[in-house]
Amino acid sequence: MEYWILFGSFAGLLLIGTPVAFCLGAASFATVLYLGLPPVVVFQRLNSGISVFALMAIPFFIYAGDLMVRGDIARRLVALAGALVGHMRGGLGQVNITASLMFGGVSGSAAADASAVGGLMVPQMKAKGYDVDYAVNITVVSSIIALMIPPSHNMIIYSIAAGGRLSIADLFTAGIVPGMLLALMLMMAAWWVARKKGYPTEPFPGLRMLGVLFVSALPGLILIAIIFGGVRSGIFTASESSNIAVVYALAITALVYRSLPWSEFVEATKGAVRTTAMVLLVIGCAACFGWLLAYLRVPAQLVELLQSVSSNPIVILLLMNIILLILGTFMDMSPLIVITTPIFLPVAMAFGVDPVHFGVILILNLGIGLCTPPVGAVLFVGCAVGRISIWQAMRTIWPFYGAAFATLMLVTYVPALSLWLPSLFR
C-alpha cells in the first residue's frame, strides 16, 4: 500500500499540474504518515538534502553563466564558431552546434545555452533562408552538450545523489569525450539535412580574421580552462572554482569587455537567486523522496526484478535507458537525477557498470528528455526563441534525436568513451 501512496500521489499531483517540488514533498509526507513515522522526518531529510557543501557550487555556476550570457560572451563565441565551421555544408547550422559546444563550457546549463545561442543564431538562420524548424531543432538538441562538459552543475547533483563518494573532477572529465562525440554526431545530422534541403554555406573569413575573433573570444574560453584545470589538478574544489568563475566573469564582462551595465548585473543576480531557490527546493524534496525509496527497499527489489528478466548487462542497460528516456519526458532533470540515482545506480553497479560511466549515461539520457514533450524545458525555450509551436518543431527534429540516441548507445556500450580520459588524468 505504501508504494501506491508514494507513487500514486506523486503521479496524480503531477498530472494536475502541481510543481514537481510540491509533488515530491506531498507524496513523501503522505507516505511517512501512512508508515507511522514522525512527520518531522520529512523536514529533516529535506534539510539534509540541501545542507551539502558541494551544492554551493551550483548557485555560483548558475550566476557565472548568467553574467556571461548578459555580458556579450555568447556573441563573441558565436562569431568565432562562424569563422571556424561556417564554410561547411549547412553553414549556420554547424556554427550553432559549435557555439553550443563552446558556450556550454562557460554556462554549464542547457537552458542558458538554448536561450543565448538560440537568441543569436535563430534570427540569423531565418534571415539567410534556413527553415525556422531546422534552426530551432539544432538549437534545442545541441544545447544538451552543455550538460556533458564542465562546469555542468548536473554532474555535481549526480555526485551528491550517489552519496558524495564520486569525484566531481572525474565526472567533469568523463563527460568531455561524450560531449564532443555528441557535437560531432549532431554536425553530421545537420550536414545531411542541409545537403538534402540545399542550405547555403558561409564564406571563410580568412586566417587573419579567424585570429582576431579568437583573441576577442579568448577571455571567455580561458574560463573553461580555469574551471576544469583547477578542479582536475586539485588546486581548488568545485565549490571554490564556482566562486572563482563568478569573480572572473564579473572582471571580464565589466572591466575588459565593458558590456555589463548595472541593470543587467542586477537582473543576473536576481535571476541566479530565483533559479537557485527553485533548484534547491526540488533537490531537497527529491532527497526526501529518495530516502523513502531506500527505506522501502525499492532499489534492491528492482535489482531482483531485472535479474529475473535477464542476466545480460547489454539487455539491462537497454532497459534502464528506455525507462529513463520515458521518465525524462514527464519530469525535469534535477529531480530525476536525485530520485533515479539511488534506484538505478545499485542496479548498474550490480551488473559491473562503473558509477562514473553510469553518471555520464544518466546525464546524457535525461538531457535528451529536456528536448522531448510534454515537459521538455529546453524544447520550450527553443520554440519560444524561434516563435514556432512545439508540434511544428517535432515534425522535423527526428534526425537530431537519432544523432543524440546513437551517441547515447555508443556511450552506454563503449565505457572507454567515458572512462579513458579520467584514467589518463589520474
Side-chain angles (χ1 to χ4, degrees), residues 103-120:
F103 188 73
V106 172
S107 70
S109 166
D113 191 303
S115 177
V117 177
L120 291 168

Side-chain angles (χ1 to χ4, degrees), residues 294-348:
Y295 181 83
L296 297 173
R297 297 188 67 254
V298 172
Q301 293 179 39
L302 183 61
V303 170
E304 294 172 4
L305 175 63
L306 290 177
Q307 285 176 336
S308 68
V309 173
S310 174
S311 59
N312 189 333
I314 295 175
V315 176
I316 298 301
L317 285 171
L318 181 61
L319 288 173
M320 287 196 292
N321 269 316
I322 292 172
I323 294 170
L324 289 169
L325 284 170
I326 294 172
L327 291 174
T329 64
F330 293 100
M331 284 185 66
D332 204 7
M333 189 169 188
S334 297
L336 269 179
I337 293 172
V338 181
I339 293 169
T340 58
T341 297
I343 298 175
F344 289 105
L345 181 57
V347 178

Side-chain angles (χ1 to χ4, degrees), residues 7-350:
F7 294 109
S9 57
F10 171 75
L13 290 170
L14 197 64
L15 288 173
I16 63 174
T18 308
V20 172
F22 296 110
C23 294
L24 294 166
S28 301
F29 190 76
T31 308
V32 163
L33 290 179
Y34 175 79
L35 291 171
L37 299 173
V40 72
V41 168
V42 174
F43 303 99
Q44 289 174 339
R45 291 297 167 179
L46 190 152
N47 182 64
S48 64
I50 60 177
S51 300
V52 180
F53 183 75
L55 282 176
M56 286 293 294
I58 294 176
F60 287 103
F61 277 137
I62 291 172
Y63 192 22
D66 206 356
L67 290 170
M68 290 289 192
V69 168
R70 298 172 185 273
D72 207 29
I73 299 293
R75 183 187 63 80
R76 296 170 189 269
L77 293 175
V78 168
L80 175 60
L84 285 170
V85 299
H87 59 281
M88 298 171 61
R89 171 64 68 181
L92 292 183
Q94 308 292 359
V95 173
N96 196 323
I97 297 167
T98 306
S100 291
L101 177 62
M102 293 180 181
F103 188 73
V106 172
S107 70
S109 166
D113 191 303
S115 177
V117 177
L120 291 168
M121 291 302 307
V122 172
Q124 290 185 47
M125 295 176 74
K126 289 166 67 176
K128 290 291 182 71
Y130 291 81
D131 292 329
V132 66
D133 55 342
Y134 175 80
V136 168
N137 292 339
I138 285 183
T139 299
V140 168
V141 183
S142 66
S143 67
I144 64 177
I145 298 171
L147 305 172
M148 307 300 296
I149 59 179
S152 169
H153 58 260
N154 289 289
M155 291 288 191
I156 300 172
I157 295 174
Y158 169 73
S159 174
I160 295 167
R165 301 184 303 273
L166 301 180
S167 164
I168 294 175
D170 279 352
L171 290 169
F172 276 1
T173 311
I176 292 175
V177 173
M180 291 183 172
L181 176 62
L182 176 59
L184 178 62
M185 298 291 280
L186 291 174
M187 291 178 77
M188 292 169 61
W191 176 87
W192 180 78
V193 175
R195 183 182 180 191
K196 185 178 177 181
K197 296 196 173 184
Y199 290 142
T201 60
E202 300 295 309
F204 182 66
L207 293 176
R208 183 176 181 278
M209 181 54 67
L210 178 61
V212 170
L213 293 173
F214 176 77
V215 171
S216 176
L218 186 60
L221 295 173
I222 288 175
L223 177 60
I224 305 172
I226 291 174
I227 293 171
F228 176 72
V231 174
R232 181 69 266 182
S233 64
I235 295 174
F236 40 73
T237 65
S239 300
E240 292 165 346
S241 75
S242 66
N243 287 263
I244 292 170
V246 171
V247 174
Y248 183 84
L250 278 172
I252 293 300
T253 54
L255 302 178
V256 178
Y257 290 155
R258 297 182 182 275
S259 56
L260 186 70
W262 176 254
S263 59
E264 290 296 317
F265 168 74
V266 172
E267 286 302 313
T269 305
K270 289 181 179 177
V273 171
R274 284 193 299 267
T275 304
T276 300
M278 291 187 292
V279 169
L280 291 183
L281 178 60
V282 168
I283 289 174
C285 293
C288 182
F289 193 90
W291 175 81
L292 274 170
L293 292 175
Y295 181 83
L296 297 173
R297 297 188 67 254
V298 172
Q301 293 179 39
L302 183 61
V303 170
E304 294 172 4
L305 175 63
L306 290 177
Q307 285 176 336
S308 68
V309 173
S310 174
S311 59
N312 189 333
I314 295 175
V315 176
I316 298 301
L317 285 171
L318 181 61
L319 288 173
M320 287 196 292
N321 269 316
I322 292 172
I323 294 170
L324 289 169
L325 284 170
I326 294 172
L327 291 174
T329 64
F330 293 100
M331 284 185 66
D332 204 7
M333 189 169 188
S334 297
L336 269 179
I337 293 172
V338 181
I339 293 169
T340 58
T341 297
I343 298 175
F344 289 105
L345 181 57
V347 178
M349 293 177 65

